[in-house]
Amino acid sequence: GAVVSQHPSWVICKSGTSVKIECRSLDFQATTMFWYRQFPKQSLMLMATSNEGSKATYEQGVEKDKFLINHASLTLSTLTVTSAHPEDSSFYICSARDPGEHSKNIQYFGAGTRLSVL
Amino acid sequence: LAKTTQPISMDSYEGQEVNITCSHNNIATNDYITWYQQFPSQGPRFIIQGYKTKVTNEVASLFIPADRKSSTLSLPRVSLSDTAVYYCLVGDHTGRRALTFGSGTRLQVQP
């Protein structure tokens, strides 16, 4: 299947600093990528839809000024957690759909980024 | 978006066949049914996808009745490494909308 690479896999930062997470589609071009957040023992919650060349679409309750998304190319989307606080500590996961006809809307997920804010 | 309902948890033993059923009563005509597996601290991994009847690949089978209001993921001869959370998702084939995750089924395989 298609490969989505996410970096870093784990980051620890001080409260008030910003953290950037990268999501890359390695063997296909993705006009749309998605960002999820997952708290321990819970399911994935969609945060935003990242569209190449345009503004991201955020889910209700997700602060767009806090979670900055940039999708500058067809293979890269970034999520920046600005002024991070301990409550932002979570597991962040990106996904992208392989637009090849054979894939029928199979979304491929990155390995996730564990963010710990001290 | 079609909502899915799955059992919260299931237990099994190594070598047994495990069937996880998912209900999706409001599935739309264009919707596909996709199953993912997630291990702790990892992103979900695609298992299988289907539209109707039966689909089989090297790791699982997916059974979908004619009314498509439910589906069953079948894992043959599970091993300890199959212990994970399994998610059933329903979505259209365009991929323009994100997948909506339900609570998933936590499968525990014991020796």
Side-chain angles (χ1 to χ4, degrees):
Chain A
V3 178
V4 174
S5 174
Q6 191 170 339
H7 179 81
S9 58
W10 185 41
V11 58
I12 300 175
C13 70
K14 293 183 179 180
S15 185
T17 60
S18 295
V19 173
K20 179 185 284 188
I21 303 170
E22 293 187 349
C23 181
R24 295 180 185 273
S25 56
L26 296 187
D27 49 2
F28 64 98
Q29 294 183 330
T31 55
T32 304
M33 292 185 176
F34 305 99
W35 288 95
Y36 294 82
R37 179 167 53 183
Q38 186 175 34
F39 292 106
K41 303 293 185 183
Q42 294 186 23
S43 185
L44 284 76
M45 294 188 334
L46 178 67
M47 298 176 66
T49 300
S50 172
N51 304 298
E52 188 269 335
S54 64
K55 292 183 179 180
T57 304
Y58 291 82
E59 295 300 298
Q60 189 172 8
V62 178
E63 300 176 57
K64 62 180 181 180
D65 294 330
K66 181 168 187 61
F67 299 100
L68 300 179
I69 292 173
N70 185 287
H71 194 155
S73 78
L74 287 171
T75 59
L76 173 64
S77 174
T78 61
L79 169 67
T80 301
V81 183
T82 62
S83 187
H85 288 93
E87 58 266 30
D88 298 323
S89 298
S90 188
F91 191 54
Y92 293 86
I93 311 170
C94 70
S95 75
R97 169 185 164 264
D98 183 348
E101 287 192 6
H102 63 283
S103 67
K104 296 188 180 66
N105 187 24
I106 297 172
Q107 292 192 10
Y108 294 94
F109 289 80
T113 298
R114 173 76 56 194
L115 171 62
S116 297
V117 184
L118 304 178
Chain B
L1 293 175
K3 181 181 178 182
T4 60
T5 303
Q6 304 173 232
I8 296 296
S9 64
M10 294 182 68
D11 292 311
S12 183
Y13 292 94
E14 281 191 294
Q16 289 190 335
E17 177 184 76
V18 171
N19 295 309
I20 306 174
T21 298
C22 177
S23 296
H24 27 79
N25 292 318
N26 297 323
I27 189 169
T29 303
N30 292 333
D31 285 343
Y32 281 78
I33 301 156
T34 311
W35 286 78
Y36 287 83
Q37 174 193 57
Q38 187 183 27
F39 297 113
S41 297
Q42 294 187 27
R45 184 175 73 102
F46 169 81
I47 301 175
I48 197 166
Q49 183 184 73
Y51 183 80
K52 61 180 179 180
T53 63
K54 177 184 175 182
V55 179
T56 297
N57 61 22
E58 62 275 10
V59 298
S61 294
L62 179 60
F63 299 92
I64 305 169
D67 65 5
R68 304 200 327 122
K69 292 184 183 299
S70 67
S71 59
T72 299
L73 174 72
S74 181
L75 304 173
R77 297 180 298 281
V78 294
S79 64
L80 295 176
S81 62
D82 292 317
T83 294
V85 178
Y86 292 82
Y87 293 98
C88 159
L89 296 102
V90 174
D92 69 23
H93 65 286
T94 66
R96 284 191 280 271
R97 291 181 301 175
L99 296 172
T100 300
F101 282 78
S103 58
T105 298
R106 190 172 299 273
L107 173 65
Q108 180 70 49
V109 180
Q110 299 180 6

